[in-house]
Amino acid sequence: MCLRLLSFSPRTRAQLADALRRKGVDDEVAEQVLGRYTEVGLIDDEAFARAWVQSRHNGRGLARRALAAELRQRGVADETVKDAVEELAPEQEESAARELIAKRMAATRGLDPTKRTRRIVGVLARKGYPGSLSYRLVREALEAEGTEELPDIPVDD
């Protein structure tokens, strides 16, 4: 069963343990199987977490906070999550945020600057970006665009 699941996509140890539990596999047997799979390298939560961070950041533009939450949902240990998201450089995160802002700026052109700012900051917040970074980058984008009345929206992280 574990091999079948792993043949479709990489899984964490916790995901495989849940699958075995749902199928009624004895906990002791499940632990032996998972231990052996870990020993031979079929299960590697650290590699899974690193690959997840790069894939989801590059593909969806997710920030550290959102990536950490997704990894925790998949049962990855906190220390492993921390190590994986720390590999994402702040410059990478800021660059991805700028790309998202550029897309949303084009889509919200013509709206009131305050409304634009709230919408774009909201998009970034849902992707896990801190409010202070989001607001600063949106403000810079509005200034670069030549928006005369820049909104003053308080942001809490």
Side-chain angles (χ1 to χ4, degrees):
M1 188 166 73
C2 288
L3 283 175
R4 187 171 16 93
L5 289 171
L6 288 169
S7 70
F8 293 114
S9 68
R11 311 275 176 163
T12 65
R13 183 182 179 105
Q15 288 175 315
L16 292 172
D18 287 343
L20 292 172
R21 198 173 304 109
R22 282 193 308 272
K23 291 292 185 179
V25 175
D26 182 61
D27 287 345
E28 198 172 301
V29 172
E31 188 54 40
Q32 287 176 348
V33 169
L34 295 174
R36 180 66 182 142
Y37 278 32
T38 301
E39 241 177 67
V40 298
L42 290 173
I43 302 173
D44 185 349
D45 283 358
E46 290 85 10
F48 175 90
R50 285 190 307 274
W52 186 269
V53 164
Q54 288 306 311
S55 171
R56 299 289 283 176
H57 176 71
N58 294 332
R60 303 272 323 257
L62 297 181
R64 292 175 187 209
R65 187 182 304 166
L67 293 165
E70 286 186 349
L71 287 170
R72 284 188 190 99
Q73 282 180 330
R74 282 155 183 75
V76 177
D78 285 339
E79 190 62 34
T80 303
V81 169
K82 182 180 173 225
D83 292 344
V85 297
E86 282 180 356
E87 288 184 13
L88 185 63
E91 299 81 31
Q92 285 178 283
E93 194 172 41
E94 188 170 314
S95 175
R98 286 181 190 281
E99 288 177 27
L100 290 167
I101 289 168
K103 288 177 187 174
R104 297 306 301 167
M105 289 288 288
T108 59
R109 194 160 278 119
L111 293 177
D112 171 66
T114 301
K115 187 178 264 188
R116 285 178 87 186
T117 300
R118 284 190 179 127
R119 284 189 183 181
I120 298 169
V121 168
V123 167
L124 293 171
R126 288 186 293 279
K127 292 199 178 265
Y129 290 91
S132 58
L133 173 70
S134 300
Y135 184 65
R136 178 177 57 83
L137 295 178
V138 170
R139 190 171 183 84
E140 287 174 9
L142 288 170
E143 286 173 352
E145 191 178 74
T147 303
E148 291 181 21
E149 283 189 44
L150 294 173
D152 190 29
I153 300 171
V155 177
D156 296 327
D157 275 334

